[in-house]
Amino acid sequence: MPAAVTIRARLALGVAAITVLVVLAVAAVQFLALRSFLVGAEYERLEMLLPRLEQTLAALPTTSTPLILNTLPRTVDVRVIREDRVVAVTPEFPMIALTLPIGRSRRAGHDVLISTFNLNGTLATAQLASDVLGVVNPLRAYLRSLAVAVPVSAALAALLSFLLAGRLLKPLERLTRAAAAIGKGGNLRAALPGADRGDEVGRLAGVLQTSFGQVAEVREREETFTYAAAHDLRSPLTAMKTRLQGALSGPRSETELREELTEVLSDLERMRRLSEQLLLLARGERDIVRRPLDLARLAGEAVDRARELAPDLSLEFATSGVAWISGDEGLLSPLLDNLIGNSLRYGGGAAMQMTVTGTPSGVALSMADSGPGVPAAALSHLTTAFYQVGAARSGQGNGLGLAIAQRVAQLHGARLDLALAQPSGLRVTVTFPQATNAD
């Protein structure tokens, strides 16, 4: 793969090219203006020679043959015609017609001025011809100077822009080195140079620093998540291994084998639930299938499922207002089940209440219990995967219920709030943006 041209070099070459174009454009305008000026000046010089020509001819005697004129400037040739006869001419007058219209013209490589004047009381015509070298030579000199000025200007512009670009790109080079060092060292939370600047490099450094921080947060969360998941999966696997080894260690009755297999199936079920919950936590926004849903209907169905599993469950349910949201039913149902299961598991059998309240600003789903609650200091940790409070660690849960609820809320643009209920217990509130009824 060929080496890429650096931004610094491209900028220098670009400025050099622009300089060449600008110089050539200005030079073209100046060339045309200079040419017009030189041509006009040459004709003015020819017109100024007419009085001198008239005085010269008036002082010469009249002859039958054309007079040879040698007193005019060397760069000007003259021919005087009177009554269709040449009465005076310079030795090197160009080959042009005797009869030409009055005025200025370019003929036989000369600028020619045709004018009439009074020659000894008779009207005569003077033809004054000036070699175009008087115009061409200055223009050639101008073009030769351009041939030197254009490359010199381009080289100077390229050099200056190269030096200036190097100075301007130094903060970017420092940023590149710092980012490379972070990539090698792995300290994604290290400060990047220039993040406090207000220019484009500063904004780039700020975006990179924010992105690195987010990556660091995700990596830390994944490391903690992976460790906790491995820990929670290891426990049922160890139990299954122990039971199976015990079953194979010696003779067992059918009843004992059934008990062992029942325990193994219980461990497998726990692993299945844990795997499903881990998959829910791993869901991304692109996996969501949104459609208008009635959250009150979904919550009512979740309450019915909980009552079927536990007929003696003390769970009240109430709704008010319009409760349509835009969401994925496959994710919202586990959220509702986890909220109910969390209150049931850690509420100590106390009364529970689920409410769905629709307002113009959103739809609030609230799950509250009157159980022992949690310490206030633990509220901020309850949505962390595998986090369990005190005695809850000995229960059947794995600390993923509220973590899943938080993840589902985030995927739906909702906000999950935790608060201590009064006089005791825990209240979880999820506030969704409201959507219009699809029907």
Side-chain angles (χ1 to χ4, degrees):
M1 181 178 179
V5 181
T6 63
I7 294 177
R8 188 178 181 184
R10 290 201 299 268
L11 179 61
L13 293 174
V15 171
I18 293 174
T19 301
V20 170
L21 293 176
V22 171
V23 171
L24 289 178
V26 173
V29 175
Q30 290 181 338
F31 180 85
L32 295 176
L34 178 60
R35 181 178 177 277
S36 177
F37 170 78
L38 291 173
V39 171
E42 190 65 21
Y43 281 123
E44 288 179 2
R45 187 170 74 95
L46 294 178
E47 290 176 351
M48 293 175 63
L49 289 176
L50 284 174
R52 179 179 174 183
L53 176 62
E54 184 176 352
Q55 293 176 2
T56 300
L57 292 176
L60 295 176
T62 303
T63 61
S64 58
T65 59
L67 297 173
I68 303 300
L69 300 175
N70 294 309
T71 58
L72 296 175
R74 188 178 58 181
T75 58
V76 177
D77 292 304
V78 176
R79 184 168 64 183
V80 179
I81 303 170
R82 183 174 63 182
E83 297 177 352
D84 297 330
R85 185 175 67 86
V86 178
V87 297
V89 67
T90 55
E92 298 181 0
F93 191 82
M95 299 294 293
I96 60 177
L98 287 176
T99 56
L100 293 172
I102 302 298
R104 303 172 179 180
S105 61
R106 173 70 64 84
R107 298 180 185 277
H110 290 71
D111 292 322
V112 179
L113 173 64
I114 310 297
S115 181
T116 59
F117 69 100
N118 189 342
L119 179 58
N120 297 327
T122 306
L123 186 64
T125 300
Q127 297 179 336
L128 292 87
S130 173
D131 195 331
V132 294
L133 292 178
V135 175
V136 172
N137 287 339
L139 293 178
R140 287 176 178 173
Y142 178 72
L143 292 177
R144 284 194 295 271
S145 67
L146 280 180
V148 177
V150 169
V152 170
S153 299
L156 183 61
L159 176 62
L160 293 178
S161 61
F162 186 79
L163 296 176
L164 178 61
R167 184 176 181 84
L168 294 176
L169 291 174
K170 277 186 178 180
L172 188 59
E173 293 176 358
R174 290 195 294 268
L175 179 61
T176 302
R177 290 194 296 269
I182 289 175
K184 291 180 180 179
N187 183 14
L188 295 175
R189 296 192 182 278
L192 289 174
D196 55 344
R197 295 164 58 104
D199 56 8
E200 291 81 356
V201 175
R203 290 194 291 272
L204 175 61
V207 170
L208 285 177
Q209 187 161 298
T210 301
S211 300
F212 286 169
Q214 293 172 345
V215 172
E217 183 178 348
V218 171
R219 187 175 68 179
E220 293 166 359
R221 187 168 63 246
E222 287 181 349
E223 289 175 352
T224 303
F225 178 84
T226 303
Y227 174 79
H231 178 272
D232 273 54
L233 286 172
R234 183 172 56 189
S235 297
L237 286 174
T238 302
M240 288 172 58
K241 180 180 178 182
T242 300
R243 292 188 178 96
L244 292 175
Q245 286 176 339
L248 295 174
S249 63
R252 289 288 191 273
S253 66
E254 182 178 349
T255 301
E256 291 174 331
L257 288 175
R258 285 183 177 277
E259 291 177 354
E260 296 288 351
L261 291 176
T262 300
E263 294 295 333
V264 169
L265 287 176
S266 177
D267 291 333
L268 286 173
E269 178 62 20
R270 180 181 174 189
M271 291 177 60
R272 183 192 65 79
R273 289 197 306 268
L274 179 61
S275 299
E276 289 180 351
Q277 291 174 334
L278 291 175
L279 289 174
L280 280 176
L281 283 176
R283 290 281 291 270
E285 292 186 7
R286 289 178 297 181
D287 301 321
I288 296 181
V289 180
R290 296 181 182 273
R291 64 185 184 88
L293 296 171
D294 185 0
L295 185 59
R297 176 185 63 83
L298 293 179
E301 292 175 355
V303 170
D304 291 340
R305 287 194 297 271
R307 287 171 176 170
E308 288 176 2
L309 294 176
D312 298 332
L313 181 65
S314 177
L315 174 59
E316 297 181 6
F317 176 61
T319 66
S320 64
V322 179
W324 283 88
I325 64 171
S326 177
D328 187 329
E329 185 171 352
L331 289 176
L332 293 173
S333 292
L335 177 144
L336 294 164
D337 292 339
N338 281 336
L339 291 181
I340 296 175
N342 188 76
S343 294
L344 177 62
R345 187 173 298 114
Y346 305 122
M352 300 179 293
Q353 182 180 32
M354 173 174 279
T355 59
V356 178
T357 305
T359 65
S361 59
V363 179
L365 168 67
S366 176
M367 184 68 209
D369 65 72
S370 55
V374 298
L379 284 177
S380 60
H381 303 288
L382 292 181
T383 56
T384 302
F386 301 105
Y387 178 82
Q388 292 177 290
V389 180
R393 297 181 181 275
S394 60
Q396 296 299 316
N398 50 34
L400 287 177
L402 291 179
I404 291 175
Q406 171 79 319
R407 181 57 179 162
V408 173
Q410 291 175 347
L411 293 174
H412 286 80
R415 186 182 75 253
L416 186 145
D417 298 305
L418 299 171
L420 297 179
Q422 297 299 327
S424 64
L426 178 68
R427 179 182 300 276
V428 182
T429 304
V430 184
T431 306
F432 294 86
Q434 194 171 70
T436 57
N437 189 338
D439 297 332

